């Protein structure tokens, strides 16, 4: 199989921003940036793949998660806000995983039930609920999610997930092996 082609027309600055959520080594030479939507089934498909890449490649890789809540997904923004609010208490990735693990359950919920679900997730992560709810409603978090979305629009993103490897957009790999090969190749070229 040939490696996924790099779409040279789409590129972003290959830097980790101050407010980025990062898994792995912030100083790694290889940075994988994912623009994702918590309500997107394809994003849920890639979530364990990215998780496995993180475990296997460890400190050779920095994984950055950025929000790209699609307008037609009514729960995407609240779920993004809940992950960010959990992140204020050091549990972004735990909330991220819980949201994706349970995506099929909450995707069809009403907005009323969604709030209850989000609170239950926060409680199960043993977050300070009062603080969580304050952060969840905060203007800063709403602005951060919106900023990620607008940044994505500016670089031409129109679907999720969209991955950038060292600043260059890559076509979504068809398998874990293909994804790992692309990253391993980048690691080898950088050393």
């Amino acid at each position: 199989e040939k490696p996924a082609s790099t779409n040279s027309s789409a590129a972003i600055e290959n830097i980790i921003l101050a407010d980025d959520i990062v898994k792995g080594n912030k100083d790694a030479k290889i940075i994988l940036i994912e623009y994702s939507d918590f309500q997107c089934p394809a994003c849920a498909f890639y979530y364990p793949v990215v998780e496995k890449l993180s475990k296997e490649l460890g400190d050779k890789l920095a994984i950055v998660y950025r929000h790209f809540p699609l307008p037609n997904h009514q729960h995407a923004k609240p779920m993004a806000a809940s992950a960010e609010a959990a992140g204020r208490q050091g549990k972004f990735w735990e909330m991220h995983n819980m949201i994706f693990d349970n995506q099929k359950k909450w995707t069809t919920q009403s907005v009323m039930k969604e709030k209850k679900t989000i609170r239950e997730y926060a409680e199960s992560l043993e977050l300070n609920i009062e603080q969580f709810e304050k952060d969840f409603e905060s203007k800063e978090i709403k602005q951060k999610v919106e900023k990620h979305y607008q940044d994505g629009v500016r670089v031409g993103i129109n679907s999720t997930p969209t991955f950038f490897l060292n600043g260059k957009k890559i076509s979504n790999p068809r398998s874990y092996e293909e994804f790992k090969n692309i990253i391993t190749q980048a690691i080898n070229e950088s050393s």
Side-chain angles (χ1 to χ4, degrees), residues 91-107:
K91 296 215 172 159
F92 175 88
W93 293 108
E94 291 84 344
M95 182 64 91
H96 163 281
N97 296 359
M98 193 171 282
I99 291 168
F100 276 131
D101 286 337
N102 295 290
Q103 188 192 64
K104 285 184 176 73
K105 290 180 196 152
W106 57 259
T107 301

Side-chain angles (χ1 to χ4, degrees), residues 93-136:
W93 293 108
E94 291 84 344
M95 182 64 91
H96 163 281
N97 296 359
M98 193 171 282
I99 291 168
F100 276 131
D101 286 337
N102 295 290
Q103 188 192 64
K104 285 184 176 73
K105 290 180 196 152
W106 57 259
T107 301
T108 56
Q109 290 181 349
S110 68
V111 173
M112 286 297 290
K113 185 101 169 67
E114 166 195 276
K115 280 198 167 19
K116 186 174 176 275
T117 298
I118 288 171
R119 188 187 170 104
E120 285 167 4
Y121 292 172
E123 286 169 353
S124 74
L125 293 175
E126 297 176 4
L127 299 176
N128 172 326
I129 298 302
E130 197 179 323
Q131 187 60 50
F132 174 82
E133 290 182 342
K134 201 173 116 192
D135 290 335
F136 176 80

Side-chain angles (χ1 to χ4, degrees), residues 15-40:
I15 53 170
I16 295 174
L17 305 173
D19 69 349
D20 274 334
I21 303 283
V22 184
K23 179 184 282 198
N25 177 6
K26 282 187 162 107
D27 300 321
K29 287 182 183 155
I30 307 302
I31 302 173
L32 180 69
I33 296 174
E34 174 184 10
Y35 279 86
S36 181
D37 171 325
F38 282 117
Q39 198 173 339
C40 156

